[in-house]
Amino acid sequence: MSGSVYTMMARQITVAEICTPIYTIESSNSIWDGVAEWEAWGRQNDFLVLWNQVALIRNKGKLIGYTNETDLSLFEEDHPNISLNDKISRINIPVSVNQFLSADTPLLEIVKLFKGEGDKPFFVLKGNEIIGWLSFSDLFKLPFQLCIFALLTGIEGHMLEICARNSTHIIKKIKPEIVDSWRKKFNKEEKQRAQQGNWEFKELKKEDGLSYSGNLIRNYISFSQKVEVLKKVEGLEKYIPLLAQKDRNGKEFIETAISLRNKIAHGRNSGAELLNPEELSIFLDWLSQLEEQMANFLKPFGFFKHYKGIGEA
């Protein structure tokens, strides 16, 4: 697969970086004692509560399953046929082989695993040792947000390159008042640099805009502006069809991409957790395909072959 350095960076982030530490309970322990020990371990490991956690259950060292029973206050009401004095093996949930993941599995490859698996946890193996567990909610920790941001940064870099390589044409598709605000900002920044460097400053005038279009675009065009202007370039949809996708999915994916990029860049909650496993999997596939289409378009020589005449119609 083609890809930018950012895409390759995204694929270097693995499940080991987001998995939650896991406790092991011996099957011969009573439910009461086992969960009490689990809670004590949790407090030592900065889990204020065990809500929504899981623990492994072993019988003389052999893994037999896991439990997610963390609230004993309603246990007897929920399980009228089980006593808290019974062995914890009474609430054992068998584990299947497809619930194990290697610690070096890239995060971007595991999203699709949550489709159809419901709330089943995944257990992370490093060698022969289970080092933690994973739920869908773990995907929204910082490392996974960095994966998404790396993908989006790669796409943004491709869009900037496409815009900058034909800047005199692209800048005509941007609202004049926006270009004028860029010119004023450019003049202000260049004047400050000139004063600091003790060199002569020549103001960029409105009529000089086209000659400086590359500088203005590279310095000031935003992610959303890159998307909007490239969607207006005649002929580009032949090579990057996903950018020109006009159906509901295409519009929603582009809006999601813009929103995620801005939120993550400004340190806010990305909102990606509002997507269910299937929606997130489809969106990430779309992002990867869009990045690949742009990378292929920008390949050496191929770019100049394809770009000739783009936007001239």
Side-chain angles (χ1 to χ4, degrees), residues 27 74 83 91 108 145 150 167 177 199 213-214 216 229 243 249 265 267 282 294:
S27 63
L74 299 175
S83 165
I91 56 172
L108 292 176
Q145 292 196 41
S167 58
E177 59 267 29
W199 45 270
S213 58
L216 295 180
V229 75
L243 194 63
N249 280 346
I282 293 172
M294 289 182 173

Side-chain angles (χ1 to χ4, degrees), residues 156 159-160 163-164 166-191 193 201-206 208-210 212-230 232:
E156 185 171 16
M159 290 194 296
L160 178 60
C163 288
N166 198 23
S167 58
T168 54
H169 173 68
I170 292 293
I171 207 161
K172 294 175 185 176
K173 295 185 175 295
I174 299 170
K175 292 179 180 179
E177 59 267 29
I178 292 176
V179 177
D180 196 47
S181 71
W182 291 352
R183 181 181 58 81
K184 291 176 180 177
K185 190 173 182 180
F186 178 83
N187 282 333
K188 182 180 178 179
E189 292 173 353
E190 285 298 293
K191 186 176 181 179
R193 292 190 187 98
F201 166 68
K202 183 179 179 181
E203 186 176 81
L204 174 62
K205 301 185 183 303
K206 196 169 186 177
D208 300 326
L210 288 181
Y212 281 82
S213 58
N215 281 349
L216 295 180
I217 284 175
R218 285 192 179 276
N219 287 330
Y220 305 120
I221 191 169
S222 69
F223 187 94
S224 59
Q225 288 168 339
K226 294 182 188 84
V227 172
E228 289 308 311
V229 75
L230 288 179
K232 297 175 184 177

Side-chain angles (χ1 to χ4, degrees), residues 43-297:
R43 287 191 293 271
Q44 292 174 355
N45 288 273
D46 298 324
F47 294 109
L48 296 179
V49 293
L50 293 179
W51 181 79
N52 211 24
Q53 297 292 313
V54 301
L56 298 174
I57 298 179
R58 293 183 182 272
N59 182 10
K60 297 179 181 179
K62 181 181 178 181
L63 178 67
I64 61 171
Y66 66 97
T67 182
N68 55 12
E69 291 289 350
T70 58
D71 184 1
L72 298 186
S73 61
L74 299 175
F75 183 86
E76 292 179 325
E77 183 179 326
D78 294 337
H79 305 279
N81 297 321
I82 303 177
S83 165
L84 288 173
N85 292 318
D86 287 347
K87 291 182 179 180
I88 203 158
S89 56
R90 288 288 305 275
I91 56 172
N92 179 67
I93 302 171
V95 63
S96 62
V97 67
N98 61 4
Q99 285 178 260
F100 291 96
L101 293 171
S102 171
D104 58 5
T105 305
L107 284 184
L108 292 176
E109 293 182 10
I110 69 167
V111 177
K112 57 182 175 290
L113 298 179
F114 287 98
K115 296 194 304 180
E117 285 296 328
D119 297 327
K120 280 187 178 180
F122 286 91
F123 301 100
V124 180
L125 282 170
K126 188 172 185 179
N128 293 322
E129 179 187 0
I130 298 175
I131 62 169
W133 72 284
L134 202 65
S135 69
F136 183 64
S137 62
D138 286 315
L139 293 183
F140 306 106
K141 294 177 179 176
L142 182 58
F144 186 71
Q145 292 196 41
L146 291 176
C147 279
I148 296 177
F149 191 66
L151 277 179
L152 292 169
T153 300
I155 289 170
E156 185 171 16
H158 290 330
M159 290 194 296
L160 178 60
E161 195 62 28
I162 295 170
C163 288
R165 286 189 186 185
N166 198 23
S167 58
T168 54
H169 173 68
I170 292 293
I171 207 161
K172 294 175 185 176
K173 295 185 175 295
I174 299 170
K175 292 179 180 179
E177 59 267 29
I178 292 176
V179 177
D180 196 47
S181 71
W182 291 352
R183 181 181 58 81
K184 291 176 180 177
K185 190 173 182 180
F186 178 83
N187 282 333
K188 182 180 178 179
E189 292 173 353
E190 285 298 293
K191 186 176 181 179
Q192 290 174 344
R193 292 190 187 98
Q195 290 172 344
Q196 293 169 359
N198 197 26
W199 45 270
E200 185 180 352
F201 166 68
K202 183 179 179 181
E203 186 176 81
L204 174 62
K205 301 185 183 303
K206 196 169 186 177
E207 56 267 25
D208 300 326
L210 288 181
S211 61
Y212 281 82
S213 58
N215 281 349
L216 295 180
I217 284 175
R218 285 192 179 276
N219 287 330
Y220 305 120
I221 191 169
S222 69
F223 187 94
S224 59
Q225 288 168 339
K226 294 182 188 84
V227 172
E228 289 308 311
V229 75
L230 288 179
K231 286 167 67 177
K232 297 175 184 177
V233 176
E234 299 86 353
L236 192 59
E237 69 278 2
K238 178 180 177 182
Y239 305 101
I240 311 175
L242 288 181
L243 194 63
Q245 198 174 347
K246 294 181 180 179
D247 61 16
R248 182 181 174 186
N249 280 346
K251 292 178 181 178
E252 287 182 354
F253 287 154
I254 287 173
E255 289 173 2
T256 299
I258 293 171
S259 175
L260 287 176
R261 187 265 175 209
N262 291 338
K263 287 179 178 178
I264 297 173
H266 294 95
R268 299 197 298 271
N269 191 321
S270 70
E273 66 273 15
L274 299 178
L275 301 173
N276 64 42
E278 184 168 5
E279 290 169 337
L280 184 60
S281 179
I282 293 172
F283 172 68
L284 289 178
D285 283 344
W286 179 85
L287 271 188
S288 295
Q289 291 171 32
L290 177 61
E291 197 274 342
E292 187 171 12
Q293 288 178 5
M294 289 182 173
N296 287 336
F297 181 71

